[in-house]
Amino acid sequence: MVAPWHPALAGRLEERSIDSALLAENPLGDPATRPLLVYLPPGYDDDPGRRYPVVYILQGYTGFVTTWSNRQAFRPTYPERVDALFASNQSPPCIVVFVDAWTSYGGSQFVDSPGTGRYHSYLCDELVPFVDAEYRTMAAAAHRGLAGKSSGGFGAMITPMLRPDLFGGLATHAGDALYEYCYLPEFAKAVRALRRFEGDIGAWWADFRAREAFTMGEDHTLLMVLGVAACFSAGGDGRPLLPFDPHSGEIVDDVWQRWLDWDPVRMVPDHADALGGLQAIWIDAGTRDEWYLDLGATAFRDALHRAGIRDLHFETYDAGHSGIDHRYPPALAYLAERLSGQVTGPR
Amino acid sequence: MVAPWHPALAGRLEERSIDSALLAENPLGDPATRPLLVYLPPGYDDDPGRRYPVVYILQGYTGFVTTWSNRQAFRPTYPERVDALFASNQSPPCIVVFVDAWTSYGGSQFVDSPGTGRYHSYLCDELVPFVDAEYRTMAAAAHRGLAGKSSGGFGAMITPMLRPDLFGGLATHAGDALYEYCYLPEFAKAVRALRRFEGDIGAWWADFRAREAFTMGEDHTLLMVLGVAACFSAGGDGRPLLPFDPHSGEIVDDVWQRWLDWDPVRMVPDHADALGGLQAIWIDAGTRDEWYLDLGATAFRDALHRAGIRDLHFETYDAGHSGIDHRYPPALAYLAERLSGQVTGPR
Amino acid sequence: MVAPWHPALAGRLEERSIDSALLAENPLGDPATRPLLVYLPPGYDDDPGRRYPVVYILQGYTGFVTTWSNRQAFRPTYPERVDALFASNQSPPCIVVFVDAWTSYGGSQFVDSPGTGRYHSYLCDELVPFVDAEYRTMAAAAHRGLAGKSSGGFGAMITPMLRPDLFGGLATHAGDALYEYCYLPEFAKAVRALRRFEGDIGAWWADFRAREAFTMGEDHTLLMVLGVAACFSAGGDGRPLLPFDPHSGEIVDDVWQRWLDWDPVRMVPDHADALGGLQAIWIDAGTRDEWYLDLGATAFRDALHRAGIRDLHFETYDAGHSGIDHRYPPALAYLAERLSGQVTGPR
Amino acid sequence: MVAPWHPALAGRLEERSIDSALLAENPLGDPATRPLLVYLPPGYDDDPGRRYPVVYILQGYTGFVTTWSNRQAFRPTYPERVDALFASNQSPPCIVVFVDAWTSYGGSQFVDSPGTGRYHSYLCDELVPFVDAEYRTMAAAAHRGLAGKSSGGFGAMITPMLRPDLFGGLATHAGDALYEYCYLPEFAKAVRALRRFEGDIGAWWADFRAREAFTMGEDHTLLMVLGVAACFSAGGDGRPLLPFDPHSGEIVDDVWQRWLDWDPVRMVPDHADALGGLQAIWIDAGTRDEWYLDLGATAFRDALHRAGIRDLHFETYDAGHSGIDHRYPPALAYLAERLSGQVTGPR
């Protein structure tokens, strides 16, 4: 039974912030000073010579670091789960960094985009050096991982593909993948929701910002569609281009192709070397995921297999897309072991 | 208020059958003798010199002609609605032919396929001549139309594209179109349903046939996926090829392309001349259609517009996919007027 | 696999009608001449001296005898199932009578009411004698049973309680019972649906009759609420009295008590002798029944147990309220055996 | 647009705790030291002679004070909304106290029970005096109010009925009421959920505590049923007694009556004087509330009307049970005005 009031930790959770040069003058006017949480495992303060692997935690769409402290009855927060994992010695210790990549659209997909800002570069070129400078990390790709759920799982999949020099492991929980199932049906819903706005998602966006958020049934769908368009298919002027006709839903092929170019399943062949060099790959999802990300997980695994990468952990479990945070600690332990150099395989 | 017991008609409904040479030795062993219902309007027997336009009615998936007599409380059957339309002089009279194109998979999509049989040819080259021989029809394309709902609407869209020499008008109610929304999400559901069959749709099919039908939640989805594959993407040996990997849902591009080649929206450009020559085009769907066929309807209309075809009737209405049979009579009247030669436009 | 077109029967199905004196001048102006279907088992015509038990089949709300011929793909009709049961010798033969007790409200609950008419008496005092006179029945309670689903199951439960002199067996499939779960939640939905009619169910009824039926989401709920009120709680003038305030849903205790007086679970103690004398009691329901009639079935069984009645068949199965017609034949066989005098127990 | 990271307040939010003598040795072993949040409006520190009315905020089931800081994207927390209300001078200032009444079952319903503890007395006899002692309150019933949602709305309704000497105003948002609609249908769901525990809710409770919470679909239903039984119908030994048979759902009348005795709608007649003396009554709910608490709100208003109490605010709005926290500030302003003595009516 979880006592709801007193989250005493065995380790420490530091609230920090970073002044990002890369996010300065981002197109949405979002702050360039960003918060982050740094979890230091039990014992960190005891042995000043010891260095630790680092796992960067990425959030799902509409997440921002302060939501990590949201509490649900009868369930610990994720930072508390992390702490319990290390306090109970179920995992080698590591430093866990909770990343903020929020935008005014609710997310960045952890990519560089003229529609939102340079969040990929901020993560790789500012946040990682900051953490390495401020904490006793094992500052090499082989000791650095990424983990996340949903959009965060997407970030965890693509970032090591793009920067194998920085990251040596990933864990994706219900990460965005196989876009024909996770995104296409949303477009159909979006078209219907846009009828009251005469097909103008800008009109919806203005409305959404002017009233209480999420009081219209399809607000979440439209926010995601608009926000991901800002990440994947912004025009040169930064305005999001929709990958579908807002009246009929007909696919706009060239814009949709820009989305597909970011589908982790489709990205694998071009990044097989990067992926093949990773120390740790963990893939999971719930078999009832509302966005069919269990299929995305399976397809991502299959794509890795086709690329000859078979040293990975894959599992599905009876769950939807929500309430699966108790599934993260085993993945974190898996990463911690692999990134500590404690597990060495034939690779 | 509908009296449920005594459906007295002003016209006549004849139960006929036709011996099809084209369906003989169809791959599924389905009967080659097929029933049809022929509705003759009030007055047909009074003036032996009068000839009538004909509208062929196609059914949705799992429909067969005897289901036209299924009765729901408080609602007339469709043949009764047809009769009431003509009895009340809301439409010029026409002959209405209820077509049977059932297969053991639950439908034929009104196409020729090695997976099911030659249902398109049976309709065009056997049924139409039969009706013209047996009844006082106006035996020309300008006086012959097709109407249907769901798969029947699909049949009504594609048949005049392929045979403008035979058909001069169409009405589609929630007809299958824009396959990325009506079919793709079904594939994701099918993958999940196939888990208990280890991804083998043949195992499901054997199970489905051996037990009480439709007692498994996803029976309808799997039946449709299998049946439409038999129609659109059968192999040379007649076996249905799925357009997706049954474990991951990943699209099998070449098979999926065979489906897309049958998407009415995508077929329009290649058949613009045929469509442009039609006397009557009626398109409708419910705005809450569970397969997003309101988007399909809109996209089909847009494709026609892009092809320069603007003389058509389009409407959407507050409804789902079911219970919209009261929407058919206005379309039938529209066809009857246009195919009677009573409406002549600038075309 | 079911061939959809040719329902050839081994026995015979006769369409008959009966002129009811008791239904003459019924308050709704519904016809006093009523259809019925009489199924005669294989062999009926071969041995003119043989007599048969009779099972009367009652329908669910909005059912009327002609709906027994409605066909669904891949599934036989219920009369065809009955025929197959006897044709395959899985049951002793019996005569099966399909009863019509439709009213303008969609049903009668098989009770006498100033709101609808004398349907209980019509069944017991007109239909049974008619069948006994016209067919070679075993004309005694010990050889006469009732079976039905939903409202028909309700009728099958209550009729033998009231007339043990006439009926010796019953089978209830998802029969209406335990009204706090099957009816009360409907009242809450009805209140919401009535908001657009300012709480006036009469205004809804006028609207429902003037437009296409069942095009408003809650039509079914309101029809059932109104119709059952007409059966259970009509005023002296025949007008249905609602058991709840149409604005707040607050229960009107005395009217609700009139409904509860017709709850089979609550009726058992007062009719224990009648029930204890039955030859056959079959109770079943699906464990996912949308009206919680699995709980109703359990509570009815428990009430019988408390009354000392333990010789009964009870089962639940994985199903909802719909599509359970394949569950009827085993119950019919059970009744046929017991009512043939083939099974005799310690009672 | 809400900036997600920096909740700067115009007033102050103090985290306090109280050592409760009344909760010591509560039957569940829950802590007797309880947190509370005290919001002090802008200006509180500027004028040490000024006194303020107080509104106590009660939470819904499974709520505990730290959940008030849970953040959702694009929406402020409720304390931030409170602060914005006062900062913008849309309301006279008042002190707002966020009460903790959590138990191991997830809630206390703010009543005294041998099943949970003396939470009503703790609120009235310990928390109120504590606040009056520690802050510059207007320490009289006419200046003291209660507000809450769901179970918190229930607490806001019943507490002034029981202690009009302490409280002079209430605001209920979707408060538990009209138990035949908000609770009875849950019993039916609970029976089904208990099948896998052979009807033993104690077995479910042991299971729930031993595994990850809320991973079984009906966990929320069972928790609520068990917890409310602990509040309303505990036995002398403190064990919750269910108001229904766990196998059939049949109501256990005497236990259910104990629940009904706590139905605010049914409590009104016996507490009409207390309610008639209140300065402020605010009642609202969403018209799509999943527990039909819009009907409960309507029935509570109607009961007040029948008791002659007509000076109240009542409204419903298009919403479900969740996400209605933006509806609280207008009610708080209403209470603040009435409890400041700024509005005086004919009473």
Side-chain angles (χ1 to χ4, degrees), chain D residues 20-27 30-32:
Chain D
S20 167
L22 290 165
L23 295 183
E25 300 183 27
N26 66 73
D30 289 320

Side-chain angles (χ1 to χ4, degrees), chain C residues 85-294:
Chain C
L85 179 77
F86 296 124
S88 62
N89 289 310
Q90 295 175 69
S91 168
C94 68
I95 294 170
V96 181
V97 177
F98 297 89
V99 177
D100 180 271
W102 167 267
T103 75
S104 292
Y105 286 131
S108 68
Q109 297 299 88
F110 311 97
V111 301
D112 289 347
S113 169
T116 52
R118 302 188 59 189
Y119 286 87
H120 169 71
S121 297
Y122 145 76
L123 168 60
C124 294
D125 297 330
E126 293 183 329
L127 202 57
V128 167
F130 174 86
V131 170
D132 283 337
E134 297 281 320
Y135 298 95
R136 299 198 313 277
T137 64
M138 297 165 82
H143 304 291
R144 209 181 272 121
L146 288 151
K149 179 212 170 182
S150 198
S151 288
F154 167 77
M157 284 185 275
I158 61 152
T159 307
M161 292 198 222
L162 303 176
R163 294 298 299 270
D165 58 309
L166 282 185
F167 295 101
L170 72 88
T172 169
H173 309 286
D176 300 3
L178 212 59
Y179 288 2
E180 49 271 63
Y181 300 126
C182 69
Y183 281 132
L184 268 181
E186 300 299 300
F187 298 167
K189 295 176 200 163
V191 168
R192 288 184 174 170
L194 288 175
R195 283 172 182 157
R196 75 176 80 171
F197 300 95
E198 295 182 11
D200 181 358
I201 200 166
W204 166 78
W205 181 234
D207 179 69
F208 177 80
R209 293 163 65 111
R211 62 169 160 83
E212 190 68 31
F214 303 119
T215 48
M216 196 181 94
E218 293 293 353
D219 275 348
H220 276 105
T221 294
L222 291 172
L223 178 69
M224 186 277 292
V225 164
L226 180 63
V228 176
C231 298
F232 289 165
S233 57
D237 60 354
R239 291 183 50 195
L241 302 176
L242 295 185
F244 56 88
D245 181 290
H247 298 282
S248 70
E250 276 187 276
I251 294 300
V252 179
D253 286 331
D254 57 335
V255 181
W256 177 230
Q257 187 59 51
R258 293 177 65 184
W259 287 50
L260 293 178
D261 290 343
W262 280 114
D263 184 346
V265 176
R266 290 166 166 91
M267 290 172 72
V268 167
D270 284 346
H271 299 86
D273 285 349
L275 290 159
L278 297 183
Q279 308 297 314
I281 299 177
W282 176 289
I283 305 165
D284 71 29
T287 53
R288 296 179 277 109
D289 189 284
E290 288 81 356
W291 285 270
Y292 294 104
L293 295 173
D294 47 335

Side-chain angles (χ1 to χ4, degrees), chain A residues 8-314:
Chain A
L9 300 182
R12 274 198 292 130
L13 195 61
E14 295 198 346
E15 297 188 20
R16 302 293 301 268
S17 70
I18 177 172
D19 293 313
S20 167
L22 290 164
L23 296 183
E25 299 181 29
N26 66 73
L28 298 174
D30 288 320
T33 299
R34 290 308 182 100
L36 68 157
L37 297 175
V38 181
Y39 174 83
L40 303 171
Y44 183 86
D45 298 324
D46 302 333
D47 178 357
R50 183 166 179 180
R51 291 191 163 270
Y52 297 86
V54 187
V55 177
Y56 291 81
I57 307 293
L58 310 182
Q59 293 182 297
Y61 213 77
T62 74
F64 43 94
V65 285
T66 43
T67 59
W68 285 121
S69 61
N70 286 359
R71 304 188 67 77
Q72 268 193 288
F74 296 98
R75 291 178 68 106
T77 66
Y78 182 50
E80 288 164 21
R81 291 181 192 273
V82 167
D83 186 66
L85 178 77
F86 296 124
S88 61
N89 289 309
Q90 294 176 69
S91 168
C94 68
I95 295 170
V96 181
V97 177
F98 297 89
V99 177
D100 180 90
W102 168 268
T103 76
S104 293
Y105 287 131
S108 68
Q109 298 298 87
F110 312 97
V111 302
D112 288 349
S113 168
T116 52
R118 302 190 57 190
Y119 285 87
H120 169 72
S121 298
Y122 145 77
L123 168 60
C124 294
D125 298 330
E126 293 183 328
L127 201 56
V128 167
F130 174 87
V131 170
D132 284 336
E134 296 282 319
Y135 299 95
R136 300 197 312 277
T137 64
M138 297 164 81
H143 304 291
R144 209 182 272 123
L146 288 151
K149 179 211 167 184
S150 197
S151 288
F154 167 78
M157 284 185 276
I158 62 152
T159 308
M161 291 198 221
L162 303 176
R163 294 299 300 271
D165 59 308
L166 282 184
F167 295 101
L170 72 89
T172 170
H173 310 285
D176 301 1
L178 211 57
Y179 288 1
E180 49 271 64
Y181 301 125
C182 69
Y183 282 132
L184 267 182
E186 300 299 301
F187 298 168
K189 295 176 199 165
V191 168
R192 288 185 174 170
L194 288 175
R195 283 172 182 159
R196 75 177 79 175
F197 299 96
E198 295 182 10
D200 180 358
I201 201 167
W204 166 79
W205 181 233
D207 178 69
F208 177 80
R209 293 163 65 110
R211 62 170 159 84
E212 190 68 32
F214 302 120
T215 48
M216 197 182 94
E218 293 293 353
D219 275 348
H220 276 106
T221 294
L222 291 172
L223 178 68
M224 186 278 290
V225 164
L226 180 63
V228 175
C231 299
F232 289 166
S233 56
D237 61 354
R239 291 184 50 194
L241 302 176
L242 295 185
F244 57 88
D245 180 290
H247 298 281
S248 70
E250 277 187 277
I251 294 300
V252 179
D253 286 332
D254 59 334
V255 182
W256 177 231
Q257 186 58 50
R258 293 178 64 186
W259 287 51
L260 293 178
D261 290 344
W262 280 114
D263 183 346
V265 176
R266 291 167 166 90
M267 289 172 72
V268 166
D270 283 347
H271 300 86
D273 285 350
L275 290 160
L278 296 183
Q279 309 297 314
I281 299 177
W282 175 290
I283 306 165
D284 71 30
T287 52
R288 297 179 277 110
D289 189 283
E290 288 81 355
W291 286 270
Y292 294 103
L293 296 172
D294 47 335
L295 275 61
T298 305
F300 185 61
R301 178 204 57 187
D302 289 356
L304 291 170
H305 282 182
R306 288 193 296 264
I309 300 161
R310 297 195 156 266
D311 179 23
L312 53 81
H313 178 92
F314 175 81

